[in-house]
Amino acid sequence: MSQNTVLRIVSALALITIVTLCFMAGPTQSLALIFLMGIIISDEIFCNFFKGVRFSKPYFLSLSLFIIPFSLFNFYIQKETFHNFFINSSLVLNVFLLFYLVFSDIKSDFLNKKKNTMAYFSGLFVLFPMMSLTSIFQTPSWNLFLIILLIVNYSMDTGAWFVGKNFGKNKLWPSVSPKKTLEGFLGGALFSGVFGFIFWYYFFDRLEVKLFFLFAVFGIISQLGDLVQSKLKRHCSIKDSSSLIPGHGGFYDRLDSLLFLAPFFVISIYSL
């Protein structure tokens, strides 16, 4: 086993342990963990994607766009109306990101020309999906919903990796992510559907076929979020969002697909 593989396993186990302990401790501790991750991701996007200067005035302005609203509406003012606003804003942001993914030219230099302007708003780029995620805490079964969200999201990643590595032949989108395959994409969606279905039944004792298809769609949506980040990294000429997690890159590398999926997941589970 290579040293890099060992680092990946150790890092993954450490993250799983931290998340589990926070879930066991309660919603306040879990919110604090999400808050810390949001600050780190905001930092990664500002400094590494948009090449901003850490601890400069624009840096603190950008982070304040995440820190102030997140703190205010999660720790002081917890009203469904505000969370609905952030969920809808996150959906609008995702629509724009999908347009960017599909229609922007990978060879275009437009993002580099707008880096200074976009850096100011990188905090909002993180705030909207993070607030969608924290709206789950308004429900009594917040911990179960978050577990299912994590399972569906990472089942997609695991399934895509396993199926793609062993059976992948056709490239999914070579100009955006050269290693991803169509077989892996479909295999990941299957994994998401199966494991999401199993755990939903285990937690809520509901056995409905439509849930399998719903979770498979969630897997596909999460993979679109990963593709968006891959394209952003290519436009910004970086390999990873940072090197904070040994063997995995940065926090945004680990949470990009989950943040993209969050508003779709929240809206859907509210209607189940």
Side-chain angles (χ1 to χ4, degrees), residues 166-259:
N166 293 283
F167 307 102
K169 294 181 180 179
N170 301 290
K171 297 296 182 182
L172 177 65
W173 203 330
S175 63
V176 175
S177 187
K179 294 183 180 180
K180 287 184 172 60
T181 65
L182 179 60
E183 292 82 2
F185 181 76
L186 296 175
L190 178 63
F191 271 52
S192 290
V194 169
F195 284 99
F197 180 80
I198 291 172
F199 276 86
W200 189 273
Y201 174 68
Y202 178 75
F203 288 145
F204 300 108
D205 197 26
R206 288 180 59 183
L207 195 63
E208 300 176 51
V209 177
K210 69 176 183 180
L211 292 173
F212 165 79
F213 293 102
L214 178 63
F215 293 128
V217 170
F218 284 160
I220 292 172
I221 292 172
S222 73
Q223 191 70 182
L224 290 174
D226 189 69
L227 288 170
V228 167
Q229 198 227 36
S230 294
K231 194 162 190 176
L232 279 170
K233 287 194 289 189
R234 285 186 169 274
H235 265 142
C236 296
S237 302
I238 60 174
K239 184 178 183 295
D240 296 313
S241 62
S242 75
S243 56
L244 282 175
I245 310 174
H248 290 271
F251 278 87
Y252 187 42
D253 291 314
R254 293 300 91 208
L255 296 176
D256 56 349
S257 54
L258 187 144
L259 293 178

Side-chain angles (χ1 to χ4, degrees), residues 71-119:
S71 303
L72 182 63
F73 295 114
N74 280 302
F75 298 112
Y76 297 101
I77 305 174
Q78 298 180 354
K79 290 188 177 181
E80 185 178 347
T81 304
F82 293 113
H83 280 278
N84 288 339
F85 166 77
F86 286 112
I87 293 170
N88 292 328
S89 299
S90 186
L91 288 172
V92 172
L93 173 62
N94 282 355
V95 170
F96 279 107
L97 290 174
L98 286 175
F99 270 95
Y100 162 75
L101 173 64
V102 175
F103 297 109
S104 67
D105 186 353
I106 197 68
K107 297 179 181 179
S108 171
D109 194 41
F110 84 96
L111 198 60
N112 289 321
K113 295 178 180 178
K114 300 292 184 180
K115 277 184 179 179
N116 291 336
T117 302
M118 295 179 69

Side-chain angles (χ1 to χ4, degrees), residues 130-141:
M130 279 293 191
M131 289 298 294
S132 297
L133 188 62
T134 61
S135 67
I136 294 175
F137 287 86
Q138 305 297 312
T139 65
S141 301

